[in-house]
Every structure is written in structure tokens, then in C-alpha cells.
Amino acid sequence: MRKTNRKLAALYDAALAPHGINIAQFALLRNIERRQPVSLTELARLLELDRSTMGRNIRVLQKQDLVLTSRGTDQREAAVSLTERGMTVLRAAEPAWEGSQDAITARIGADRIRILQELNQLL
């Protein structure tokens, strides 16, 4: 299963590379967009990562000027939002993401995609 996951990730990474992001960063940007501003703790919980890992991932996106951190409603917690550049990169990368989805569906079939989605929900 891990080998399959790496191959799938590599397909997405190759498609997203021209936009300067990888599959994990795309997913992170999408989640931030849907919930912004969102606390680092909440984002880590949603994506099932530990808080320190999330902080490192956010710093990488900050260096690329894709996200902005500020103080949330609780002054002890940082909140994350997309920058204008982050929104632009996300919008530009969406067709590449969708193209990858279509290519994978064409290779393995819609029925197998549904099975993978069902298995993912069980995990």
C-alpha cells in the first residue's frame, strides 16, 4: 500500500511542480482556504498531524508568501490565512490537481477509485 501511495503522490507532485508546490502543500492550502482564518492547532487536528509538524509546514508556506499568520481570537494561538499569492497559486494549481485526478481515474477506473475512497474512510 505504501508503494502505491508514493506512486500516487509522485503523480500529483509532478503535476503541481510547475506551481511550486507539492501534494501536501496543495492539500494544506485548500484546507486553510476552506476554514480561514484557522488556528494551527485546529489545522493540525483536522489533518491529523502533530502541532509542531504543522508549524514547520506553515513556515515553509510563509517563506513562499503563500500564507500569513496572525494572532487568533485566543492571543496565545496563531491563526493562518492565505495571502493573495497563496490564493493565486491555489487557483492556478487546481486544473493540474483535477487533471491528475482524471488521469488516475482513467488508469484504474471509477469503480476502483470508489473502493479506495471507501477504504480511506475506514482508516
Side-chain angles (χ1 to χ4, degrees):
M1 185 73 161
R2 284 189 173 149
K3 186 176 180 182
T4 301
N5 287 343
R6 282 193 300 269
K7 284 185 174 185
L8 288 173
L11 290 171
Y12 285 104
D13 285 346
L16 295 168
H19 304 284
I21 59 175
N22 62 33
I23 186 175
Q25 293 166 331
F26 180 85
L28 188 51
L29 291 171
R30 265 211 168 152
N31 276 281
I32 293 167
E33 178 197 23
R34 290 177 183 146
R35 295 168 178 88
Q36 64 184 331
V38 60
S39 75
L40 287 180
T41 301
E42 177 66 7
L43 198 53
R45 187 189 66 74
L46 288 166
L47 297 175
E48 299 178 358
L49 294 171
D50 84 28
R51 171 68 171 69
S52 62
T53 300
M54 182 58 64
R56 284 190 299 276
N57 292 345
I58 291 298
R59 280 191 293 282
V60 170
L61 295 177
Q62 274 183 300
K63 288 179 183 175
Q64 294 176 292
D65 190 33
L66 301 176
V67 300
L68 175 69
T69 59
S70 60
R71 289 286 150 215
T73 52
D74 177 347
Q75 293 297 311
R76 298 169 293 173
E77 180 66 58
V80 184
S81 299
L82 295 183
T83 62
E84 188 174 318
R85 183 172 187 278
M87 187 64 77
T88 299
V89 167
L90 182 59
R91 291 292 166 259
E94 284 173 341
W97 175 269
E98 291 165 7
S100 295
Q101 295 276 83
D102 292 345
I104 291 167
T105 300
R107 281 177 80 173
I108 67 174
D111 289 339
R112 288 187 177 135
I113 292 290
R114 277 191 292 281
I115 290 168
L116 286 173
Q117 289 168 336
E118 289 170 11
L119 287 171
N120 191 44
Q121 289 176 357
L122 294 174
L123 301 175

